[in-house]
Amino acid sequence: MHGNRLIVMKFGGTSVGNAERFRQCAAIVGEAAKHDRIVVVVSAMAGVTDLIFKTIEAARHGDGPATEANLQKFEDVHRRLIANLIEPQQQAAANDYLAEVVAHLKNACTALSALRSDISAQTADSLVALGERISAWVLAGYLQQLGTHSEFIRAENVIATDSNFGNAAPDIEATRKQCRQFLLPLLDRGTVPIVAGYSGADASGKSTTLGRGGSDYSATIIGAAAGADEVWIWTDVDGVLTADPRICPDAATLPEISFEEAIELAYYGAKVIHPKAAYPAAEADFPVWIKNSFRPEVAGTKITNDARPANSPVKSVTSVKDATLISLFTRRDVHPVELWGRLFLRLGQEQIEVLFATQSSPEHALGLVLRKADAPRVLQLIHSIFRIELAQGVLLPAEVNNEIAVVAVLGESMKGTCGILGRVFSAVARCDVSVIAVAQGASELSICFAVAAARGAEVVRAVHDEFCQPAGASIPVCLRPNISVATGTQ
Ligand code: ADP
Ligand code: ASP
Ligand code: MG
């Protein structure tokens, strides 16, 4: 018994992928709710958010058959879920709710294909949030059916954000007020609120989203605003691993990492936690656990402000496989710092993330490594900011390499440890791969480098073998005893 802690539990897409997965979530929640006060945050069913984006795209391009097929798929997936999960007396109500959601999506698609115009970010947010709305509604209904007091809560009633549609930032103070109004009274009555993840609302009540993968962020925002003791993120792997298990099947679970490490890890491609999710938790100083909903008995990874160092200086190796290197060169007789300054200012204003940048000492060359999806926008910016410099030949035409993978080697204990770079690049050299660009942050938390995209996975495996080999004593494997869901964390 843990004295009635407040725990926010988030279930990701694969954890609510079908009726059987919903049953497992409900079992986890039902058991935990016997001991602690639980708030649940739910993602859309696996693949559903992508499906909504595809549906919108099809409608926008006037592709009637594809729009219709996608809408049908959206409806079928949820209708099957309801048929397999909800008891017969409640199915009509559940199907009515689904019909409302489908009608909302369908009407918007009809308008979009009639106009054939670009969709506003505001309208897109109101539609892509529907996947979470329906999955949270169904989970709440299913829990009630099992006898666990629960209530569906719209994300718009809880998470207050700015109006940056598609990538909104939370207003924690306003969210705190809404938690007091909508969540805490339910908890006091012994009810489990089931909140739709990924979205929120701006000050005028319009739906916003927190960026792809944003339900993790929803959980920590609510955790901070509601004064949670812990946030548990339930996913489909045992925790944060030493590498992406799809690239390194022998990757091991890390028992502990720090928020700083989690932020770097997520930034450089580890999808297991949203890059911004660590901030509210680090600020409010409560632990975040990453746990496997398929194996709830496994302890998982604990993320805190003061994680114990691992035995190996390198904790994890991650990669961004779709990256672009843009190289800019100036004429030798100009002083280019002012040019680079203007460029970075614009990148900041446009909220474009630079994975890393390199500048050679005579200052005539700048290498920018970005996500491939951002490269066309950055090239456009370069052309507009430097129109005159390009025309006068002060700046040479940008060189673009779209076939880049960024590999990041991470760990707080690398700081001050000699020989890490040597070992990293010896491992890369053994693959006979040449390194295109390198950066080591002043924080010494990460070393990032760019290689040819086709060789990225091989390089991740080589560096992972060098530092995180299970055969070596240095591997930080999961050392904790297993714990049950009911008793929670130690
Ligand atoms: P969810 O749908 O639960 O939010 P995600 O797909 O967003 O789950 O994140 C979990 C996935 O992250 C895992 O299935 C795994 O493939 C991937 N992943 C990438 N790097 C790592 C890592 N270092 N540790 C754990 N998982 C990782
Ligand atoms: N469903 C949303 C997405 O796929 C949010 C999430 O799952 O975290 O991006
Ligand atoms: Mg995710």
Side-chain angles (χ1 to χ4, degrees):
M1 192 68 187
H2 285 270
N4 218 359
R5 299 170 302 179
L6 173 50
I7 301 175
V8 179
M9 290 194 173
K10 175 258 172 177
F11 292 91
T14 42
S15 298
V16 290
N18 55 38
E20 165 148 17
R21 302 306 311 148
F22 268 73
R23 282 190 200 100
Q24 171 72 351
C25 294
I28 291 172
V29 173
E31 190 55 37
K34 290 183 190 160
H35 308 271
D36 292 305
R37 292 177 300 150
I38 307 295
V39 175
V40 174
V41 173
V42 195
S43 280
M45 293 173 78
V48 161
T49 310
D50 284 339
L51 181 64
I52 304 177
F53 273 106
K54 268 202 263 169
T55 313
I56 296 172
E57 270 310 288
R60 200 164 77 73
H61 290 103
D63 185 345
T67 310
E68 201 43 54
N70 289 335
L71 283 167
Q72 195 58 53
K73 198 166 165 198
F74 178 90
E75 185 168 354
D76 289 348
V77 163
H78 294 99
R79 208 168 279 284
R80 206 174 317 126
L81 172 73
I82 291 167
N84 288 329
L85 198 65
I86 303 294
E87 62 192 3
Q89 309 89 289
Q90 300 305 325
Q91 284 197 6
N95 282 323
D96 284 352
Y97 193 78
L98 173 61
E100 250 178 63
V101 170
V102 172
H104 185 154
L105 194 53
K106 208 174 233 170
N107 292 340
C109 287
T110 308
L112 277 173
S113 50
L115 295 170
R116 297 267 176 106
S117 67
D118 225 348
I119 181 172
S120 72
Q122 179 190 320
T123 308
D125 273 3
S126 70
L127 302 178
V128 296
L130 294 174
E132 270 70 12
R133 193 171 301 162
I134 183 72
S135 61
W137 194 94
V138 172
L139 182 61
Y142 181 59
L143 279 164
Q144 286 158 15
Q145 182 178 310
L146 297 181
T148 302
H149 295 292
S150 64
E151 196 171 314
F152 163 67
I153 305 286
R154 283 172 72 115
E156 288 82 350
N157 289 345
V158 178
I159 295 187
T161 71
D162 63 11
S163 303
N164 189 12
F165 297 99
N167 195 18
D171 176 339
I172 297 279
E173 262 325 301
T175 305
R176 204 186 303 278
K177 280 194 200 123
Q178 306 200 130
C179 283
R180 258 187 240 128
Q181 189 181 348
F182 292 104
L183 294 188
L184 300 184
L186 291 180
L187 290 168
D188 291 343
R189 294 205 298 273
T191 297
V192 180
I194 313 288
V195 188
Y198 186 35
S199 57
D202 71 1
S204 60
K206 296 193 180 76
S207 295
T208 55
T209 61
L210 302 164
R212 292 305 307 269
S215 299
D216 300 334
Y217 198 18
S218 305
T220 57
I221 292 166
I222 292 174
D229 295 291
E230 297 191 353
V231 167
W232 295 11
I233 293 181
W234 291 98
T235 183
D236 59 355
V237 284
D238 282 352
V240 177
L241 308 180
T242 49
D244 186 338
R246 290 167 300 188
I247 298 177
C248 299
D250 60 346
T253 309
L254 292 159
E256 287 188 28
I257 63 168
S258 69
F259 285 120
E260 294 277 341
E261 288 169 328
I263 291 165
E264 296 259 330
L265 213 95
Y267 192 80
Y268 290 114
K271 217 183 144 207
V272 66
I273 183 165
H274 186 277
K276 293 186 199 150
Y279 293 111
E283 170 90 20
D285 200 18
F286 56 77
V288 173
W289 286 84
I290 309 289
K291 286 168 165 284
N292 191 345
S293 71
F294 293 73
R295 302 194 330 138
E297 68 283 3
V298 173
T301 299
K302 186 181 190 182
I303 314 178
T304 57
N305 273 319
D306 44 13
R308 281 177 310 174
N311 297 336
S312 167
V314 170
K315 277 198 177 165
S316 191
V317 185
T318 63
S319 65
V320 177
K321 41 181 207 318
D322 297 314
T324 293
L325 168 66
I326 298 178
S327 305
L328 295 172
F329 302 91
T330 64
R331 228 170 44 200
R332 294 226 152 238
D333 58 344
V334 296
H335 190 50
V337 170
E338 189 258 350
L339 298 187
W340 306 153
R342 274 158 56 201
L343 177 58
F344 278 104
L345 191 65
R346 271 308 283 284
L347 293 174
Q349 287 163 346
E350 299 285 325
Q351 300 193 349
I352 294 171
E353 288 174 347
V354 178
L355 291 169
F356 70 89
T358 60
Q359 197 201 339
S360 58
S361 77
E363 295 170 349
H364 294 281
L366 176 73
L368 281 179
V369 183
L370 309 145
R371 289 176 220 286
K372 198 189 264 182
D374 293 329
R377 251 170 88 209
V378 173
L379 287 168
Q380 255 174 12
L381 281 181
I382 290 171
H383 283 122
S384 77
I385 307 170
F386 299 130
R387 200 168 39 87
I388 295 168
E389 289 80 356
L390 283 163
Q392 293 175 342
V394 171
L395 186 69
L396 307 182
E399 285 179 12
V400 182
N401 182 344
N402 271 318
E403 300 304 321
I404 293 283
V406 170
V407 178
V409 181
L410 308 156
E412 265 173 2
S413 331
M414 292 196 305
K415 195 178 176 102
T417 309
C418 298
I420 305 283
L421 277 174
R423 285 176 66 191
V424 169
F425 292 118
S426 300
V428 181
R430 283 198 290 278
C431 306
D432 206 15
V433 169
S434 89
V435 172
I436 298 168
V438 186
Q440 175 172 28
S443 67
E444 287 191 59
L445 206 64
S446 64
I447 299 162
C448 327
F449 55 96
V451 293
R455 311 296 300 277
E458 193 186 335
V459 169
V460 168
R461 278 192 288 273
V463 178
H464 185 258
D465 283 353
E466 172 66 30
F467 292 99
C468 310
Q469 216 8 286
S474 63
I475 181 72
V477 290
C478 188
L479 298 169
R480 281 162 191 274
N482 287 350
I483 52 157
S484 76
V485 171
T487 52
T489 57
Q490 49 280 76

